[in-house]
Amino acid sequence: MSLTTYWLEHAWLGTRPQLPPGGTPVEPGVALEVDAEGRIAALRTGVDTPPPGAEPLRGLTVPGLANAHSHAFHRALRGTVQIGSGTFWTWRELMYEVAQNLTPDSYFTLARAVYAEMALAGITNVGEFHYVHHARGGTPYADPNAMGEALIEAAAAAGIRITLLDTAYLSSGFGEAPNVHQQRFSDGTADAWAERVSALKPRGHALIGAAVHSVRAVPADQLATVAGWAEERRAPLHVHLSEQTAENDACQAAHGRTPSQLLADHGVLGPRTTGVHNTHLTDADIALLGGTGTGTCMCPTTERDLADGIGPATRLQRAGSPLSLGSDSHAVIDLLEEARAMELNERLRSRTRGHWTANALLTAATGDGHAALGLPDAGRLEAGALADFTTVALDTVRTAGPLPRLGAETAVFAATSADIRHTVVGGRHVVRDGHHTLVEDVPSALSEAIAALRA
């Protein structure tokens, strides 16, 4: 059997249950062997120097980061939506303008560059919350899944994994037809959505999941169709949940229920479901989400950019809701910043420190994020797991100084995506020494793709 060996100068092994009480999860000198199937075949600690033929990864190696919530085309909004003031709803109008200009070809080009940026940031798997399905006016393409296929191929071209969360988006609001911008998003009915998405097939780097855009975008009597499709396939199911108080108020007016209660009534909640944002929740909502094992994906950099508010992440986790992280609108693409922001947001709200350890925050950014995307065999450095990992430099102006055994704290509370040195997916080097091996010039690729959309 062909094996590739990597030597990790320091490795974060925080998910290993065999750590002694008080033991550090950062281990110096780890030899990691990758088999021909792209999985970790063996892990040996106490290896002081690189074995013959091993590829050294200097810095702190952690499991690949999982970006559990992405809208790839929102990357074109970076900078342009920072002019003036407004609300989530005024921001949304600018987002619609970008969505109108997408084609399968231009979406592939943009998404390839965006996913390459993610690889440079240490992300090995993205959950793409995909709802731009059709041509302008809602006319299906010759291949009804042309846009989704473009995203799947873009991830392959950028060297990362993708869980395509194909999204049902059927209405503009409670009882309202899609507006002119949203016609591209709608399949008309949940049954038509299910028929279309059933033609999408998973492949080596790609899983197919489902999403309910929100309770305002999928009529209550059609929620069960989407949930049933995911349940039948044991697929991940995601949903934007209580991001805005206006959505909560409208749901109460239409159904006399909170969005969380409405989703529970129609079988949407459960251990394979992830609520994205979960910002404005009642005590009963928190108990409901935790009690059903429904996950929570926090997107702090987007939530603060859009002035959404700070979600009750600590209370949700204590209630039983696993936490994951996403970069959502890509105001920045930096999962270390998302992890840091979740803790720092909570400090600002509570005026106390230390709600999560660095190990807990890295777990949200790795293992729990991959599980939310249907990959429970990723996000760990141990035999049998997918050989997806990334290395954070410990010798930059941001990370130099702390002892290596504090590498987890250094990564979460000091490092940024600029400190990612290597990214390996399925045992293959996608980022080496800070350079993408498949996309030669990622900044130029981003600039050209975004300029083409504006034109």
Side-chain angles (χ1 to χ4, degrees):
M1 179 172 62
S2 175
L3 293 174
T4 301
T5 302
Y6 289 93
W7 180 77
L8 318 181
E9 184 182 28
H10 302 280
W12 178 70
L13 306 179
T15 57
R16 295 177 69 172
Q18 60 268 42
L19 281 171
T24 174
V26 174
E27 188 79 28
V30 174
L32 185 154
E33 295 179 346
V34 180
D35 65 23
E37 302 301 317
R39 291 184 177 272
I40 299 173
L43 201 73
R44 291 182 288 120
T45 59
V47 183
D48 294 336
T49 58
E55 181 153 9
L57 303 182
R58 299 195 180 276
L60 175 72
T61 297
V62 304
L65 305 176
N67 189 352
H69 189 66
S70 162
H71 303 291
F73 76 92
H74 290 191
R75 176 61 179 81
L77 295 167
R78 186 182 296 177
T80 64
V81 292
Q82 306 305 331
I83 301 169
S85 60
T87 66
F88 168 87
W89 307 103
T90 55
W91 170 90
R92 190 176 70 160
E93 293 302 314
L94 297 173
M95 178 270 288
Y96 284 156
E97 292 178 14
V98 173
Q100 286 294 83
N101 292 331
L102 293 170
T103 67
D105 288 342
S106 67
Y107 208 2
F108 167 83
T109 302
L110 175 61
R112 173 178 174 264
V114 174
Y115 296 155
E117 181 182 358
M118 291 186 192
L120 289 170
I123 293 163
T124 58
N125 187 21
V126 59
E128 184 60 40
F129 200 100
H130 165 56
Y131 54 81
V132 187
H133 302 305
H134 308 298
R136 285 191 180 211
T139 303
Y141 290 101
D143 174 1
N145 286 304
M147 296 294 267
E149 292 289 351
L151 292 165
I152 291 170
E153 293 306 315
I160 69 171
R161 304 184 194 276
I162 184 171
T163 297
L164 187 74
L165 298 161
D166 195 288
T167 304
Y169 195 134
L170 308 174
S171 64
S172 179
F174 298 94
E176 299 178 24
N179 65 32
V180 64
H181 301 296
Q182 297 163 344
Q183 290 169 350
R184 298 197 70 174
F185 311 160
S186 178
D187 292 294
T189 66
D191 286 334
W193 168 86
E195 181 179 358
R196 178 184 55 74
V197 73
S198 293
L200 285 164
K201 302 302 178 189
R203 52 215 77 171
H205 76 293
L207 297 178
I208 309 301
V212 170
H213 179 273
S214 56
V215 292
R216 69 178 185 273
V218 177
D221 61 0
Q222 300 189 57
L223 289 168
T225 299
V226 183
W229 186 94
E231 174 66 26
E232 182 180 334
R233 292 158 179 79
R234 315 294 290 175
L237 174 61
H238 288 214
V239 54
H240 289 135
L241 180 55
S242 289
E243 181 180 4
Q244 295 291 319
T245 55
E247 176 183 286
N248 289 359
D249 294 343
C251 188
Q252 284 282 3
H255 297 287
R257 321 281 286 161
T258 67
S260 297
Q261 292 166 334
L262 187 67
L263 293 173
D265 289 346
H266 295 277
V268 176
L269 303 184
R272 280 192 313 283
T273 299
T274 297
V276 181
H277 304 303
N278 294 1
T279 308
H280 302 285
L281 302 176
T282 66
D283 292 345
D285 291 338
I286 292 170
L288 184 58
L289 294 171
T292 57
T294 300
T296 294
C297 179
M298 303 298 292
C299 307
T301 65
T302 289
E303 289 152 4
R304 68 192 184 195
D305 183 55
L306 297 181
D308 287 346
I310 300 171
T314 53
R315 295 178 62 201
L316 282 160
Q317 189 172 52
R318 285 197 299 268
S321 179
L323 298 179
S324 55
L325 297 165
S327 64
D328 193 0
S329 69
H330 313 313
V332 296
I333 293 177
D334 188 339
L335 262 287
L336 299 175
E337 171 62 19
E338 303 293 347
R340 174 163 58 245
M342 188 163 69
E343 165 66 22
L344 299 185
N345 282 354
E346 195 61 34
R347 291 183 185 186
L348 286 174
R349 178 166 60 181
S350 66
R351 291 183 290 173
T352 59
R353 303 174 74 233
H355 302 274
W356 292 278
T357 64
N359 292 326
L361 293 168
L362 278 177
T363 298
T366 59
D368 286 350
H370 291 291
L373 298 178
L375 278 179
D377 53 350
R380 305 187 307 279
L381 297 182
E382 61 182 50
L386 291 170
D388 299 353
F389 41 90
T390 190
T391 303
V392 182
L394 296 179
D395 56 0
T396 73
V397 293
R398 287 167 295 277
T399 61
L403 295 172
R405 65 181 176 82
L406 298 176
E409 288 76 12
T410 303
V412 170
F413 291 105
T416 74
S417 58
D419 299 309
I420 297 297
R421 183 166 280 162
H422 308 287
T423 302
V424 174
V425 182
R428 180 179 70 160
H429 238 121
V430 176
V431 173
R432 187 190 302 272
D433 294 318
H435 298 284
H436 203 287
T437 63
L438 301 175
V439 181
E440 183 174 348
D441 186 345
V442 178
S444 292
L446 286 163
S447 295
E448 291 167 10
I450 292 168
L453 281 182
R454 292 177 183 149

